[in-house]
Amino acid sequence: EGREDLQVNRLETPIRIKPDIQKTDVDFSEILNAIQEIAKDVNIFFDELEGVNSPSKDDDSLLHHGNLTSTSDDASRLEVVGEEVPDKNKINGLYFRDGKCRIDYILVYRKSNPQTEKREVFERNIRAEGLQMEKESSLTNSDIIFVKLHAPWEVLGKYAELMNVRMPFRRKIYYLHRRYKFMNRIEKQISRFRGWLPRKPMKLDKETLPDLEENDCYTAPFSQQRIHHFIIHNKDTFFNNATRSRIVHHILQRVKYEEGKNKIGLNRLLSNGSYEAAFPLHEGSYRSKNSIKTHGAENHRHLLYECWASWGVWYKYQPLDLVRRYFGEKIGLYFAWLGWYTGMLFPAAFIGLFVFLYGVTTLNHCQVSKEVCQATDIIMCPICDKYCPFMRLSDSCIYAKVTHLFDNGATVFFAVFMAVWATVFLEFWKRRRAVIAYDWDLIDWEEEEEEIRPQFEAKYSKKERMNPISGKPEPYQAFADKCSRLIVSASGIFFMICVVIAAVFGIVIYRVVTVSTFAAFKWALIRNNSQVATTGTAVCINFCIIMLLNVLYEKVALFLTNLEQPRTESEWENSFTLKMFLFQFVNLNSSTFYIAFFLGRFTGHPGAYLRLINRWRLEECHPSGCLIDLCMQMGIIMVLKQTWNNFMELGYPLIQNWWTRRKLRQEYGTQRKISFPQWEKDYNLQPMNAYGLFDEYLEMILQFGFTTIFVAAFPLAPLLALLNNIIEIRLDAYKFVTQWRRPLASRAKDIGIWYGILEGIGILSVITNAFVIAVTSDFIPRLVYAYKYGPCAGQGEAGQKCMVGYVNASLSVFLVSDFENRSEPTSNGSEFSGSPLKYCRYRDYRDPPHSPVPYGYTLQFWHVLAARLAFIIVFEHLVFCIKHLISYLIPDLPKDLRDRMRREKYLIQEMMYEAELERLQKERKERKKNGKSYHNEWP
């Protein structure tokens, strides 16, 4: 225990304050608190109280470059008396001018801003709440003023109790279950065997980095009356920096800046421009000249950079406790979920790679691809009007082999596996989240009653009703008004989905037009591969349209969400999240759905093609099938989307910060840049996204959809997602630690509405994979041929020998003279046999031209259709039953965690009782020593 305390103090030595300082301001704090209560009752703004300690106006004439203008109260001045000011604390920019009061929060405003009066009242009320304040002008721009805030111990204790902040009060006592001797012997043998194996490389080295060890203590809501129960080695480090900033932010959100019921809170001042920015400080630089292994961490930010954000530790587990301690539970839960998702991708990526390699190894034994490559005498009909020539089936040999890599016997197994994997991932994440919630004291945490959004108050301030929770009157939105706004919003969503469909329709027209253009191209490479060139260019154009529409969707979603007038910020966030996900999901996957389920399905047949606007002939699949188009679509979109997202997440902030540093170097030189205080360095960093973690979650959820929805057509999707996520974790970590201002540490119990979206994607993936296998791939037609029409018909076998003749059976015959005038090719096919062609072949199950019903559907077509529908029904019901069974069998709370929670509850009650008993006994002994009379109380 002593060793751990030394390690924690080593991190906190630059910011420690001597405990005896607090003794000097007890009387003044009591007087100030009494004045505060009186002032609050009469609803005044403490003008008389602050008239002595601070100017009546923002006297910015006292501010100079690099000079501090103190406006802190007398309590802070008393702390400086008789104490030597630590020089190191002055230099590092994390403290007030006295070097003792740590900066807990920074407010930034401009002197030229006209909202001076609101800011004055707000700052006077801040000091009235007990916070200490100093101001300093910027070194680079005298118009920018930094307001530094510090919360003394009394304020922290008061609001920690109001906010139910849980703090450690006793070290955990672990107990072991009684085990049999036989089990103990087995465990000894296993541990001895493990000693021969190399150490786990993915775990962080706690011996080299001892600062990673956390105090493992029981916690309880902080109470000033029971302060003797808590483990307090130093009052200045008892509340960590993230908790201190959260308490200060809580105070700022409840301070008035103007007369009126709703004129309250920092958020309103930020929205009306009174303050330009508000943020907690980073804990110094993230780099150090000394090695962390020999000299230890300079601060928590440096520690996070070395063991989390550095590329050298990409293969190690994340230090989630450190992330939570520095950034708060909400961001910690995001990285916990991202790490869990990445870890669960390992088995999916391995199985997907196995399916792909199975296709590679069985390529030479595939009867279908052999027949395609050997079919030099089968001439296929042109795939477009006029300019597309007749072609031998053997010309598509390469495409047939590539199709087999993704469409083979293991595809169905992999689709079932991924559907089950999605369920297992979500169920085990619930268990993992429960463990994290227990370790981070989130089990009993409930969100506070949220404040009403200022826009909602302004809109509906005339109508009020009593809040059933707080019992206070609040603005009320009529049901008819709410319904009308929701109907308009739903209409807007429907309109934007129609815009997406229109964009897909434009891509379809592009494909049917350019396939003829590429077929008549000068270059033989493009002319001979016109369909692949058409697909590739269409996918790239589609990606550009996706990125452009995403910008439009964000503005439309923002407008529609504000039109709905949500009551609270969480309601606004959930509504905006749902719209943005719906827009981007449809935008990203609409063209993929078209290729998977519509391309080549409704084209008609030679001589009677279906056309768009009676002009353009619909695009047909390649002679080897449409699966190769779907694979190309998914591969290109997935790679380009992930590359673009990674650039925008890290590259854009890097370029902005580099440009800011470049301007500073040009104006002030490199030496002046080094002397910038921490608040100025942080101000020059990029602020966190306005929507918080929305962009990070959205990117991963869309990737989860790509990984599961069409995975039957692209088994390598989990592998690509895994490789991206390994990079994504370190990119996000680097961004949070080095490129962004420190976000406010906020609490959360789970990932919110995103969990419900994940469950919806899991259900949709079962349906889409069933249709991909049944409709897009050739799995069902091959199965029907093997059991009904092939050489093994009626024998119950379906091996490769049973597929002999499948290619010929899947192609229909067309009489060339039956071509329409506008479809008739310019070439007559004489280059194949020396005479004009009479017949060509096409993919379909239709009767020959000389049958009683020319080009009618054959019996085999109806057998295949019935088998496809039967497969979809059986596959969906089977997979859904497996999913529900797994959900039922896996409990949300692990048994050992449930036992630990019960035991902890019991031990906490015992410890509280023992601590109270010990206090009473001490008081009794003191009274005996002092000779005071007392009643015969228990004990």
Side-chain angles (χ1 to χ4, degrees):
E1 179 178 351
R3 182 172 61 84
E4 291 184 359
D5 292 340
L6 288 175
Q7 292 159 3
V8 174
N9 289 338
R10 182 165 59 129
L11 280 175
E12 303 290 346
T13 45
I15 59 174
R16 291 180 59 189
I17 305 175
K18 294 184 179 180
D20 55 357
I21 296 176
Q22 302 292 339
K23 298 179 182 178
T24 59
D25 63 343
V26 173
D27 298 334
F28 182 85
S29 298
E30 292 177 357
I31 296 171
L32 184 61
N33 289 335
I35 295 173
Q36 283 181 230
E37 296 299 328
I38 297 171
K40 287 179 181 177
D41 292 338
V42 298
N43 194 21
I44 64 173
F45 291 103
F46 305 101
D47 294 324
E48 295 81 8
L49 178 65
E50 300 299 332
V52 180
N53 292 335
S54 62
S56 59
K57 300 288 182 184
D58 275 345
D59 194 358
D60 294 330
S61 61
L62 299 176
L63 298 174
H64 303 284
H65 289 291
N67 293 334
L68 297 172
T69 302
S70 176
T71 58
S72 55
D73 55 21
D74 292 336
S76 64
R77 296 187 186 120
L78 288 172
E79 293 179 357
V80 184
V81 178
E83 296 293 337
E84 184 181 354
V85 179
D87 294 333
K88 186 177 180 181
N89 292 352
K90 282 184 177 181
I91 296 172
N92 60 20
L94 299 175
Y95 293 81
F96 276 17
R97 188 178 184 182
D98 57 12
K100 301 180 185 297
C101 297
R102 184 176 185 89
I103 300 172
D104 297 320
Y105 213 80
I106 291 290
L107 303 176
V108 185
Y109 69 89
R110 292 182 180 269
K111 288 192 293 184
S112 58
N113 189 285
Q115 306 281 353
T116 306
E117 186 176 350
K118 294 178 182 178
R119 197 166 51 245
E120 291 171 5
V121 175
F122 185 71
E123 291 175 1
R124 286 201 298 270
N125 287 330
I126 287 175
R127 292 193 291 272
E129 289 290 339
L131 297 180
Q132 299 172 13
M133 183 187 303
E134 278 187 353
K135 292 185 180 180
E136 182 168 354
S137 61
S138 171
L139 295 175
T140 59
N141 188 350
S142 59
D143 188 46
I144 297 176
I145 306 299
F146 295 97
V147 181
K148 300 175 285 185
L149 301 177
H150 167 75
W153 169 259
E154 291 77 13
V155 176
L156 292 173
K158 172 186 173 182
Y159 280 95
E161 186 171 357
L162 290 175
M163 296 168 64
N164 289 322
V165 177
R166 299 182 70 90
M167 301 303 294
F169 74 93
R170 190 69 61 90
R171 286 197 171 275
K172 287 186 178 179
I173 302 172
Y174 293 98
Y175 69 99
L176 297 175
H177 294 286
R178 183 178 178 182
R179 300 186 179 183
Y180 298 102
K181 292 182 179 180
F182 176 73
M183 294 299 296
N184 288 333
R185 290 174 184 171
I186 293 178
E187 287 187 358
K188 286 180 181 179
Q189 295 296 329
I190 293 175
S191 61
R192 184 180 301 176
F193 175 73
R194 284 178 179 173
W196 299 336
L197 299 176
R199 299 179 64 183
K200 295 182 179 179
M202 298 177 70
K203 285 195 173 182
L204 294 167
D205 190 356
K206 292 188 177 182
E207 295 180 1
T208 309
L209 301 174
D211 298 318
L212 294 178
E213 295 184 7
E214 291 281 332
N215 289 332
D216 205 3
C217 300
Y218 292 115
T219 61
F222 183 77
S223 172
Q224 290 180 314
Q225 293 182 349
R226 296 181 176 180
I227 196 171
H228 52 278
H229 293 170
F230 296 90
I231 304 174
I232 305 178
H233 300 295
N234 187 339
K235 287 186 177 181
D236 303 314
T237 58
F238 178 61
F239 295 104
N240 62 35
N241 298 324
T243 304
R244 295 174 69 100
S245 300
R246 187 155 55 90
I247 292 174
V248 173
H249 182 78
H250 178 87
I251 296 172
L252 297 179
Q253 290 296 93
R254 285 154 180 79
V255 172
K256 283 195 171 186
Y257 60 86
E258 205 173 62
E259 282 286 3
K261 183 174 60 176
N262 302 323
K263 308 297 185 179
I264 185 173
L266 175 63
N267 284 348
R268 289 177 173 83
L269 290 176
L270 288 171
S271 61
N272 65 27
S274 298
Y275 287 100
E276 190 171 290
F279 53 89
L281 285 180
H282 278 297
E283 298 181 9
S285 175
Y286 63 89
R287 294 186 184 275
S288 176
K289 296 179 181 179
N290 303 319
S291 172
I292 191 173
K293 296 183 179 180
T294 57
H295 293 75
E298 297 276 338
N299 50 65
H300 289 152
R301 188 186 185 193
H302 178 216
L303 184 61
L304 276 174
Y305 177 77
E306 292 291 339
C307 68
W308 183 47
S310 175
W311 290 105
V313 293
W314 65 269
Y315 59 92
K316 291 186 178 293
Y317 293 125
Q318 299 182 86
L320 293 177
D321 290 332
L322 275 179
V323 177
R324 172 242 183 173
R325 183 170 65 183
Y326 194 82
F327 291 110
E329 287 80 1
K330 193 170 187 178
I331 294 176
L333 268 173
Y334 163 71
F335 281 102
W337 176 84
L338 180 56
W340 183 256
Y341 171 45
T342 305
M344 289 293 290
L345 279 173
F346 273 96
F350 175 78
I351 299 297
L353 184 61
F354 170 78
V355 171
F356 179 77
L357 294 178
Y358 173 79
V360 174
T361 55
T362 59
L363 185 60
N364 295 328
H365 306 286
C366 178
Q367 180 64 30
V368 176
S369 59
K370 280 183 182 180
E371 290 186 2
V372 171
C373 294
Q374 296 170 2
T376 56
D377 57 337
I378 297 179
I379 308 301
M380 302 297 294
C381 297
I383 59 175
C384 68
D385 291 337
K386 292 189 177 182
Y387 299 107
C388 291
F390 294 99
M391 59 181 294
R392 286 189 174 94
L393 180 59
S394 58
D395 293 342
S396 61
C397 176
I398 296 177
Y399 303 112
K401 291 182 177 180
V402 173
T403 301
H404 177 74
L405 299 179
F406 302 99
D407 185 13
N408 51 64
T411 304
V412 178
F413 161 75
F414 186 58
V416 175
F417 170 81
M418 286 304 296
V420 174
W421 173 87
T423 303
V424 171
F425 161 65
L426 293 176
E427 291 300 321
F428 275 94
W429 162 247
K430 285 195 286 188
R431 294 166 61 88
R432 173 64 176 156
R433 187 206 64 82
V435 174
I436 292 175
Y438 169 78
D439 292 337
W440 292 356
D441 296 319
L442 299 171
I443 294 291
D444 299 323
W445 178 77
E446 294 293 339
E447 292 188 27
E448 300 176 353
E449 177 67 15
E450 285 192 86
E451 295 181 0
I452 298 174
R453 296 177 66 243
Q455 295 86 346
F456 185 88
E457 286 178 339
K459 181 71 176 177
Y460 302 103
S461 57
K462 296 180 181 179
K463 257 190 175 182
E464 291 187 346
R465 72 172 182 180
M466 298 296 292
N467 186 310
I469 298 175
S470 63
K472 297 179 181 179
E474 66 176 20
Y476 167 68
Q477 182 181 15
F479 179 76
D481 181 76
K482 188 173 184 178
C483 286
S484 62
R485 290 178 178 275
L486 287 176
I487 291 172
V488 173
S489 178
S491 303
I493 295 173
F494 178 75
F495 173 76
M496 292 309 299
I497 292 176
C498 292
V499 171
V500 176
I501 296 173
V504 174
F505 186 74
I507 295 294
V508 171
I509 294 178
Y510 168 82
R511 293 174 69 107
V512 299
V513 170
T514 53
V515 69
S516 300
T517 305
F518 285 138
F521 212 74
K522 295 180 181 179
W523 299 343
L525 179 64
I526 296 178
R527 187 171 61 250
N528 296 334
N529 299 278
S530 58
Q531 201 160 14
V532 176
T534 300
T535 302
T537 54
V539 171
C540 293
I541 293 173
N542 184 35
F543 175 75
C544 295
I545 293 175
I546 287 172
M547 302 312 296
L548 290 175
L549 287 179
N550 281 346
V551 179
L552 175 63
Y553 290 155
E554 183 175 344
K555 298 183 182 301
V556 173
L558 192 62
F559 171 77
L560 293 177
T561 306
N562 290 330
L563 181 67
E564 291 177 8
Q565 290 291 349
R567 178 176 170 272
T568 62
E569 287 296 334
S570 64
E571 291 178 5
W572 187 96
E573 183 179 340
N574 289 341
S575 178
F576 179 76
T577 298
L578 195 58
K579 289 182 183 61
M580 278 298 292
F581 168 76
L582 186 62
F583 287 159
Q584 295 217 19
F585 180 81
V586 174
N587 187 28
L588 194 63
N589 293 284
S590 55
S591 57
T592 311
F593 270 89
Y594 164 74
I595 292 175
F597 305 127
F598 297 99
L599 178 62
R601 304 283 174 249
F602 309 101
T603 57
H605 63 86
Y609 287 116
L610 298 178
R611 297 179 181 273
L612 285 174
I613 323 176
N614 199 27
R615 180 177 180 182
W616 292 300
R617 170 181 161 184
L618 289 175
E619 187 181 6
E620 290 187 46
C621 289
H622 197 272
S624 298
C626 288
L627 200 67
I628 188 67
D629 294 325
L630 183 58
C631 293
M632 189 180 299
Q633 171 83 11
M634 290 190 62
I636 294 177
I637 292 293
M638 197 169 184
V639 171
L640 288 180
K641 188 80 167 63
Q642 291 178 349
T643 304
W644 176 259
N645 287 339
N646 290 336
F647 169 75
M648 291 302 295
E649 283 188 6
L650 185 62
Y652 185 66
L654 273 174
I655 293 172
Q656 286 187 313
N657 291 333
W658 170 81
W659 184 255
T660 303
R661 291 193 299 268
R662 183 176 179 273
K663 289 195 298 184
L664 292 176
R665 282 196 299 268
Q666 289 177 348
E667 294 180 12
Y668 301 97
T670 55
Q671 295 299 321
R672 188 63 184 269
K673 173 181 172 291
I674 297 174
S675 61
F676 282 174
Q678 188 63 42
W679 55 82
E680 191 128 12
K681 293 178 183 177
D682 287 5
Y683 177 70
N684 290 327
L685 295 177
Q686 297 302 308
M688 189 177 176
N689 291 334
Y691 309 128
L693 293 169
F694 170 79
D695 288 337
E696 279 70 25
Y697 273 118
L698 180 63
E699 178 188 356
M700 290 295 104
I701 299 299
L702 291 175
Q703 184 208 81
F704 179 80
F706 252 89
T707 306
T708 54
I709 291 178
F710 292 104
V711 74
F714 192 58
L716 294 180
L719 180 61
L720 293 179
L722 174 63
L723 297 176
N724 174 79
N725 286 8
I726 292 174
I727 300 173
E728 180 76 21
I729 290 175
R730 305 305 161 181
L731 278 180
D732 284 348
Y734 185 83
K735 177 177 62 179
F736 272 93
V737 174
T738 67
Q739 302 301 310
W740 278 1
R741 296 173 191 163
R742 185 176 183 178
L744 180 71
S746 54
R747 309 197 85 190
K749 292 182 70 171
D750 49 34
I751 61 175
I753 194 175
W754 296 109
Y755 185 84
I757 293 175
L758 286 171
E759 285 188 324
I761 291 176
I763 294 173
L764 180 63
S765 67
V766 177
I767 301 172
T768 53
N769 281 306
F771 274 90
V772 167
I773 296 171
V775 177
T776 311
S777 75
D778 286 340
F779 175 77
I780 298 299
R782 291 175 187 175
L783 211 60
V784 171
Y785 178 81
Y787 284 103
K788 185 69 177 175
Y789 297 96
C792 305
Q795 300 178 14
E797 297 182 12
Q800 290 297 326
K801 64 179 182 178
C802 301
M803 298 303 297
V804 175
Y806 167 76
V807 172
N808 187 59
S810 63
L811 298 176
S812 300
V813 179
F814 178 73
L815 186 63
V816 174
S817 60
D818 291 341
F819 268 122
E820 299 172 300
N821 291 331
R822 54 181 171 179
S823 298
E824 189 173 357
T826 55
S827 171
N828 59 8
S830 58
E831 64 271 16
F832 295 105
S833 60
S835 60
L837 285 176
K838 291 183 179 181
Y839 300 98
C840 63
R841 309 293 292 273
Y842 61 98
R843 280 174 57 93
D844 209 341
Y845 297 100
R846 291 181 181 270
D847 292 323
H850 302 296
S851 62
V853 183
Y855 308 118
Y857 286 118
T858 63
L859 184 61
Q860 188 175 356
F861 169 82
W862 299 109
H863 284 164
V864 170
L865 180 62
R868 281 173 168 168
L869 295 177
F871 175 83
I872 291 172
I873 295 172
V874 172
F875 181 89
E876 288 181 359
H877 282 72
L878 176 65
V879 174
F880 278 131
C881 287
I882 295 174
K883 285 169 68 72
H884 287 300
L885 181 63
I886 291 174
S887 300
Y888 175 76
L889 293 178
I890 301 177
D892 295 345
L893 205 64
K895 185 179 182 303
D896 60 336
L897 177 61
R898 189 182 293 109
D899 294 341
R900 284 166 60 191
M901 291 170 60
R902 291 175 179 172
R903 174 142 181 97
E904 178 177 337
K905 187 176 181 181
Y906 168 77
L907 289 176
I908 287 175
Q909 292 175 350
E910 292 292 320
M911 291 173 186
M912 298 293 282
Y913 169 76
E914 291 174 2
E916 194 67 23
L917 184 62
E918 185 180 352
R919 185 182 67 83
L920 291 174
Q921 288 175 345
K922 285 183 180 179
E923 290 181 359
R924 185 177 183 182
K925 290 179 181 178
E926 289 178 0
R927 289 179 180 178
K928 280 184 178 180
K929 289 180 181 179
N930 297 333
K932 293 183 180 180
S933 59
Y934 59 91
H935 300 290
N936 292 327
E937 70 219 21
W938 182 88

